[in-house]
């Protein structure tokens, strides 16, 4: 039995909302000095995010690139959303390499992490707009 694309997209949206709730909880923990727990939550959330990207978002993007629907601004919004996702992954890799002393700091770690949160929130907001545009307009 095949899963309906709308059901898959809705499940992904729920996963994304749970992930951002976890990330906001991790921010709270970091501000309370519970850095190890913060790092564990963020790393787990990013792993789940990468899985969601590979299983749901990338195939969806490729499908839309191959067959762009006649929805105004959909294609640029999709590209911006996906680029933000890649930027988020790049920031995560940078922070982990810097924390592990594999590379020297380029920016302050806190600044990079706040940037990651901002990018994640903007990408999520744009993802919600895309979801509503594709499935409810």
């Amino acid at each position: 039995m095949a899963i309906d694309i709308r059901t898959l997209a809705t499940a992904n949206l729920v996963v994304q909302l749970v992930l951002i709730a976890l990330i906001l909880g991790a921010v709270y923990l970091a501000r309370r000095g519970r850095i190890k727990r913060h790092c564990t939550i963020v790393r787990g959330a990013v792993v789940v995010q990468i899985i969601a990207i590979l299983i749901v978002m990338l195939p969806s993007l490729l499908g839309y690139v191959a067959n762009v629907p006649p929805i105004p601004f959909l294609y640029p919004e999709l590209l911006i959303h996906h680029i933000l996702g890649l930027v988020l992954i790049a920031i995560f890799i940078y922070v982990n390499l810097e924390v592990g002393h594999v590379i020297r700091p380029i920016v302050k770690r806190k600044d990079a992490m706040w940037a990651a949160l901002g990018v994640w929130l903007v990408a999520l907001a744009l993802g919600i707009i895309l979801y509503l545009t594709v499935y409810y307009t």
Side-chain angles (χ1 to χ4, degrees):
M1 181 173 131
I3 297 176
D4 175 70
I5 188 78
R6 186 176 187 171
T7 303
L8 188 61
T10 302
N12 183 54
L13 178 60
V14 170
V15 167
Q16 297 307 313
L17 294 173
V18 169
L19 288 177
I20 203 64
L22 287 170
I23 292 299
L24 293 173
V27 169
Y28 174 81
L29 291 172
R31 296 184 62 84
R32 296 282 184 245
R34 303 197 54 199
I35 303 302
K36 285 187 180 186
R37 171 128 325 152
H38 163 85
C39 291
T40 300
I41 291 170
V42 171
R43 286 183 178 133
V46 171
V47 168
V48 172
Q49 183 68 2
I50 291 170
I51 292 168
I53 289 168
L54 294 174
I55 292 175
V56 179
M57 292 184 233
L58 182 59
S60 177
L61 173 66
L62 295 175
Y64 285 123
V65 167
N67 188 12
V68 179
I71 300 172
F73 304 110
L74 179 68
Y75 190 68
E77 288 173 8
L78 280 168
L79 290 179
I80 291 167
H81 173 72
H82 284 79
I83 289 168
L84 288 173
L86 293 174
V87 167
L88 177 64
I89 300 299
I91 295 171
F92 173 77
I93 291 168
Y94 163 78
V95 169
N96 277 275
L97 291 174
E98 192 264 317
V99 166
H101 305 290
V102 175
I103 61 172
R104 296 180 64 133
I106 299 169
V107 298
K108 291 180 181 177
R109 188 180 306 156
K110 280 187 179 182
D111 291 345
M113 290 188 280
W114 281 115
L117 177 61
V119 169
W120 202 322
L121 289 170
V122 172
L124 175 64
L126 191 52
I128 291 169
I129 291 167
L130 287 165
Y131 175 83
L132 293 173
T133 300
V134 169
Y135 296 107
Y136 291 98
T137 59

